Amino acid sequence: MKDRRVSSKDVAREAGVSQATVSYVLNNNPNVKIRPETRQAVIDAARRLNYHVDFIARNMRLRKSASVGIVTDADMSNFPFVRALEGIKASLVERNYSVVMCFGTGSDIQDAEYIKYYFSNLIDGIIFVMRDLKQEDVKYLEKNQIPYVSINGNAQPNARYQVKTDMRQAVTLAIAQLKAKGITNVGYLGQFAGNEKSMRFSAYRYAMRENKLRVASRHLYPINDNENLIFDEICGQLDGIELPQAIVCDNVNMGFYTLRYMNKNGIRVPEDVSLIQLGTTEFSRRTYPTISAVEAPLYNMGLRGSELLFDIMDYGYGVHGDPIVLQWQYNQRESSW
Amino acid sequence: MKDRRVSSKDVAREAGVSQATVSYVLNNNPNVKIRPETRQAVIDAARRLNYHVDFIARNMRLRKSASVGIVTDADMSNFPFVRALEGIKASLVERNYSVVMCFGTGSDIQDAEYIKYYFSNLIDGIIFVMRDLKQEDVKYLEKNQIPYVSINGNAQPNARYQVKTDMRQAVTLAIAQLKAKGITNVGYLGQFAGNEKSMRFSAYRYAMRENKLRVASRHLYPINDNENLIFDEICGQLDGIELPQAIVCDNVNMGFYTLRYMNKNGIRVPEDVSLIQLGTTEFSRRTYPTISAVEAPLYNMGLRGSELLFDIMDYGYGVHGDPIVLQWQYNQRESSW
DNA sequence: ATGAAAGCGCTAACAG
DNA sequence: CTGTTAGCGCTTTCAT
């Protein structure tokens, strides 16, 4: 199918040396001294023949693949995921590693694509991005000493290697800023249960407490995170009630739909109600008003996670037991004072 | 580093057969008949030992990599790119191919990562997604018979293998709908030069002509596509003028910023001005009003492109010379009549 | 300083 | 129906 390509043997012949020498030269093998003119001859020959090493063959010999598998739960077209991937990429490129996307994640980890890939030498390690790890999966990975890292806003209980985040300080800052403008009546709209959500909700409660503000239960608006229903649920919660001075929205979508609600009903933002969104998207600065947001350090999460994975791949389990914790940031825009 | 793993030789020993038989069974090789009990013995042994083929070794033997390289110009965190990637993925998964992201695209194609990967047997083919191909790059690819496909809204001149799109009918339909509501005065906001842009602008002109409407040059608003400047430029163009009844916006960002302009200035959409956006994003249905959009068939572009690539990889250059042309669609939402 | 040769794990003639 | 065997292209010990 693919026509025969030039191999290191060809280069050796062309340069009048042995195949071993070609390998020594091209890999700059530090354990072996090569006469400069020999070296040059090899390099010239390689260039002349337009030689490229066959990574597959090399990797086979070296018993590694020089790529890492990326696994996600999120829709791929999800901004946080992709942004974290950009951070990962930055770290990988440096070391000449490549990214393999792993899709099929079966119900049993044993037949997840990424496990097959790992055992098939297609990837050397695994990065879980924005994916909640099941207890048993973590156990399986660690039992088999598979290099992996979880990159996720939320802590993954029991996962040995992870990058997680803390948003409490950023939310505290956001609410402090509101308070400085005389706003004390800050509600919360979103989900109140579940892992990810409860991290957000509890950050809100933490921030209120730190700011010595009361959480009023009549200003807590439970909304399920289902794209098609969010707006209706918001209407159900907010129609005809007395609104608080500010609302913190659980995530990007809820922030958008809440703004939609305000715009639709002629409620001025932030004059009547301030709006703050938890989560990151590039569209928050394209609306009217632009939406203030507490945002995760996505790029750095990717970068740091990938670096951690390299440590594990290089030195094995046992290094760096501590999770990396990165801080969220408050990005004030027009929707809040 | 990685502990020795179980090979097909081990399975052979365990099952009391030869390595070849193991290969025959596990690959379901149709050219060779295996006694059912032998087959079963092999399968059992493999399971017992938790055997996984070593793809690297297999690929080396087969002289292929079972992965394709994805190259893009766009920021990865770009919705159209990722959506197309999802289509690609759907096609790849079926054939057990995997995706390798190629990042470094040097100025000279010879040292682009994807070329190195190809010549290094790391990928079997290349898909360019939303990336404008240079003349010379196309020439290089075709001279070397490298399987590639361009997936792009716009035609890539001279690229033999491509998926491109046609938006004229969809825009015509959108404008026809406006006209049916008595709107005849339709402006255009965006860029008027450049490859991508002129496709859009000319689709608008085509649609106006088809609908027997006049393009009024006073309702053509040139805006440069620079995120940080768009809004200011829009203000510069629209402040204090008499607006048309409808505006077609060049792309997603301009659509958003134009809506921002309207909302900010209390101009009702669509009562005062209808808005139509060319381009796709999931956020168009989260604003108030939601934004009508003419959208590219991104998922299918990815899917079809990937299928085309498989044809080329399977049968070589010479198949399917004709570009695949896919139609855009009009998605009417609240921002237009 | 360089070469000969072994072998990574797999597949596919070919032989039986 | 199954086994023997010869590589795929590379790296690396061990000789020289």
Side-chain angles (χ1 to χ4, degrees), chain A residues 47-239:
Chain A
R47 194 187 316 281
R48 224 175 303 131
L49 299 181
N50 190 26
Y51 169 73
H52 295 261
V53 310
D54 183 329
F55 277 115
I56 301 245
R58 160 187 281 171
N59 290 343
M60 159 146 173
R61 179 64 228 242
L62 265 27
R63 320 220 36 59
K64 62 162 196 163
S65 68
S67 26
V68 312
I70 304 290
V71 186
T72 187
D73 253 0
D75 199 325
M76 271 199 308
S77 56
N78 160 319
F79 183 80
F81 165 68
V82 183
R83 187 71 187 136
L85 186 54
E86 291 182 334
I88 291 172
K89 148 196 145 178
S91 148
L92 293 181
V93 158
E94 256 178 40
R95 321 215 186 189
N96 280 308
Y97 261 62
S98 57
V99 164
V100 174
M101 303 293 268
C102 300
F103 299 118
T105 51
S107 59
D108 188 21
I109 187 171
Q110 297 247 26
D111 40 49
E113 195 170 281
Y114 59 90
I115 291 297
K116 284 191 283 185
Y117 281 10
Y118 175 77
F119 280 122
S120 302
N121 270 321
L122 231 41
I123 56 180
D124 295 335
I126 302 166
I127 302 184
F128 297 95
V129 185
M130 311 302 168
R131 174 167 216 272
D132 285 324
L133 257 31
K134 284 185 296 192
Q135 197 74 237
E136 47 195 289
D137 294 354
V138 169
K139 203 170 278 173
Y140 182 87
L141 291 164
E142 303 196 347
K143 191 187 68 193
N144 289 281
Q145 305 253 106
I146 300 175
Y148 80 94
V149 168
S150 160
I151 295 181
N152 198 310
N154 312 297
Q156 298 297 302
N158 303 307
R160 180 172 189 141
Y161 296 111
Q162 57 179 303
V163 175
K164 59 184 187 181
T165 63
D166 182 1
M167 64 196 308
R168 289 178 305 170
Q169 295 173 34
V171 178
T172 302
L173 175 64
I175 292 182
Q177 247 170 263
L178 291 173
K179 188 181 173 192
K181 303 283 183 178
I183 294 181
T184 56
N185 206 344
V186 184
Y188 187 89
L189 182 151
Q191 298 193 128
F192 295 86
N195 182 18
E196 152 112 13
K197 305 313 163 193
S198 70
M199 168 207 185
R200 295 175 178 218
F201 180 55
S202 73
Y204 157 78
R205 279 185 311 188
Y206 172 93
M208 292 294 274
R209 201 178 325 121
E210 286 291 300
N211 280 292
K212 309 206 188 324
L213 294 178
R214 255 192 60 248
V215 173
S217 63
R218 73 179 186 289
H219 290 144
L220 263 24
Y221 312 106
I223 306 284
N224 290 303
D225 193 7
N226 174 326
E227 168 95 39
N228 298 314
L229 270 38
I230 291 179
F231 187 66
D232 289 341
E233 293 199 18
I234 289 175
C235 294
Q237 289 287 343
L238 303 185
D239 275 350

